[in-house]
Amino acid sequence: MAERTKHAVQVFSIIPGLADALSNSLPGTTVINARSHGFGFFKDFFEKTERNLTDEELNLLSEAEILVCDPQPLTQVMKRKGFNFLAKLRWAYSTWAGVDTVMKTLTPGTELPFILTRNKSDGTARLMAEYVVGQIMCHERGWMDTHMKQINKDCRGWHTFHPFRSLDQLTVGVMGLGKIGLTTAKVLKGFGCRVHGLIRTPRSHSSVEPFVDQLWHGRKGLADFLKDCDYLVNLLPSTPLTRGLLGDGVLSGASRRPVLVNVGRGDIITEADLLKALEEGWISAAVLDCYEKEPVSEESFLWTHPRVVMTPHNSCFNNEDYRRHHIVKDFSANFENYLAGQPLTGEVDMQAGY
């Protein structure tokens, strides 16, 4: 217990009640709620996460040794104040799985003077896997078309049934096999799908069995990976190696005209390349939860394209309680590692960029 009293945890997040929940989970540890304004979680999300923080707010972080925060305030501190401002910081834990906004503030080869870890909770992985399976089922069974028939009172077309494939007839390619990707592969495999995997660097197939049937790596393996996919699920982070990975006509090699389901990062393909892939028939449709630029401009073709389904980057949002619970569980387990001098899970690979 004495060791715990030596360390204070500062919390700077839009997630309501996170500091109190961490305090309850870490008895004997001082937990400081450094957020000076209590924002709601869902309302006006972009306004609340992207706004410029005041100097007063940023100054609250200058004394932190351990920081639990959303990536946006950490990004602003690094841009506006520099590393030296966080001279006492030893560990920053991002409440989000993606840390690309932080990484983009760094020049290539930069090493952070503190450990940066990201949320690798079971809850995030499970929610994103549910999103993928739900969107595949919705697309295959034509539920959105059926709903529009209902709304339009299309009585004559109501009994025109939509032919669909069972999940066990599908080959689904999963790009990125970290915790979220493997969880998604496991769920898909549970429904009988054939699962193909694409990873950044070589890895033995045994490391992803029995959830992945075939495995490819890097740009060299991309063409073969794409060939037999009925659905293409992107779960890759945004890094210099992944940006534009599905552009430059690479999707022309996807012989089954797959549906692209993008729940990773939008910059894996530009809007222009995505439109070309749809118009050329290289892909049959796109289900998007992330975009090249967010929020999406009102002029974007995505809003009205008949073969594009958009969701507002909410594949792993459900409610505040669930998200808070899993963040607390994930951080608390890592905090025990920190106290014991053990390696932290979810540490960002500075060379890979995530």
Side-chain angles (χ1 to χ4, degrees):
M1 183 67 74
E3 180 66 23
R4 292 177 179 277
T5 62
K6 297 178 183 178
H7 306 283
V9 177
Q10 298 236 41
V11 180
F12 198 106
S13 174
I14 65 170
I15 302 171
L18 181 57
D20 290 340
L22 280 170
S23 183
N24 292 333
S25 179
L26 304 172
T29 303
T30 300
V31 178
I32 302 167
N33 188 2
R35 189 83 188 195
S36 60
H37 298 83
F39 289 140
F41 189 39
F42 291 108
K43 186 180 178 184
D44 300 328
F45 172 75
F46 280 104
E47 177 183 340
K48 290 172 180 177
T49 57
E50 300 299 330
R51 72 176 180 87
N52 287 327
L53 300 174
T54 65
D55 283 338
E56 179 185 5
E57 288 175 306
L58 294 181
N59 288 340
L60 293 171
L61 308 182
S62 63
E63 297 296 314
E65 173 201 355
I66 302 171
L67 178 62
V68 176
C69 67
D70 308 328
Q72 293 84 359
L74 183 58
T75 299
Q76 289 196 33
V77 169
M78 292 166 64
K79 280 184 175 180
R80 291 163 54 184
K81 301 290 188 177
F83 292 156
N84 292 335
F85 185 77
L86 300 171
K88 297 183 180 180
L89 187 62
R90 297 293 175 265
W91 171 28
Y93 172 92
S94 171
T95 58
W96 299 80
V99 292
D100 47 291
T101 58
V102 176
M103 301 307 295
K104 287 175 182 176
T105 67
L106 307 176
T107 56
T110 300
E111 290 293 332
L112 289 174
F114 53 85
I115 297 172
L116 175 62
T117 65
R118 55 195 177 92
N119 177 0
K120 295 197 73 175
S121 69
D122 294 335
T124 297
R126 188 176 300 118
L127 290 174
M128 293 185 76
E130 289 176 4
Y131 177 95
V132 169
V133 173
Q135 290 288 4
I136 290 175
M137 292 182 67
C138 184
H139 183 83
E140 277 299 316
R141 298 191 176 218
W143 285 335
M144 291 189 68
D145 290 341
T146 300
H147 182 63
M148 290 310 300
K149 288 178 182 178
Q150 171 201 332
I151 295 299
N152 295 324
K153 298 182 180 180
D154 183 4
C155 300
R156 294 182 180 180
W158 181 251
H159 291 289
T160 304
F161 298 134
H162 182 96
F164 63 88
R165 296 168 291 185
S166 169
L167 291 177
D168 62 8
Q169 294 177 278
L170 301 176
T171 296
V172 181
V174 178
M175 304 176 68
L177 291 173
K179 185 164 190 174
I180 296 172
L182 274 179
T183 300
T184 301
K186 180 179 180 180
V187 172
L188 290 166
K189 202 66 183 168
F191 281 101
C193 295
R194 182 170 179 81
V195 179
H196 290 180
L198 181 75
I199 54 178
R200 180 174 60 91
T201 56
R203 189 192 310 177
S204 68
H205 185 230
S206 61
S207 65
V208 295
E209 289 179 324
F211 310 127
V212 177
D213 296 286
Q214 285 189 264
L215 187 64
W216 290 267
H217 71 270
R219 288 182 179 269
K220 291 182 179 179
L222 182 58
D224 288 332
F225 165 78
L226 289 172
K227 283 180 181 177
D228 296 322
C229 294
D230 297 302
Y231 283 81
L232 179 61
V233 178
N234 175 48
L235 289 164
L236 290 169
S238 175
T239 74
L241 294 176
T242 64
R243 290 172 201 139
L245 185 63
L246 293 182
D248 297 326
V250 68
L251 289 170
S252 63
S255 56
R256 294 193 184 183
R257 300 180 65 244
V259 176
L260 172 62
V261 182
N262 192 1
V263 285
R265 282 294 183 263
D267 59 9
I268 197 164
I269 185 170
T270 65
E271 282 195 16
D273 280 336
L274 178 60
L275 179 59
K276 183 174 182 179
L278 288 164
E279 290 181 337
E280 296 290 339
W282 300 338
I283 59 175
S284 57
V287 177
L288 308 175
D289 190 52
C290 50
Y291 309 89
E292 182 185 7
K293 294 181 180 179
E294 297 187 35
V296 181
S297 71
E298 294 182 10
E299 295 75 28
S300 172
F301 78 91
L302 297 173
W303 294 105
T304 56
H305 197 286
R307 289 185 285 128
V308 172
V309 172
M310 299 171 64
T311 55
H313 210 144
N314 65 348
S315 59
C316 63
F317 283 73
N318 60 343
N319 59 64
E320 297 166 2
D321 292 339
Y322 186 90
R323 186 170 180 83
R324 183 172 54 242
H325 167 76
H326 282 281
I327 289 173
V328 169
K329 183 179 178 181
D330 188 52
F331 175 81
S332 297
N334 236 358
F335 186 66
E336 298 301 324
N337 293 336
Y338 183 84
L339 294 179
Q342 299 296 318
L344 303 183
T345 61
E347 183 171 353
V348 174
D349 184 334
M350 299 304 296
Q351 298 304 314
Y354 67 94

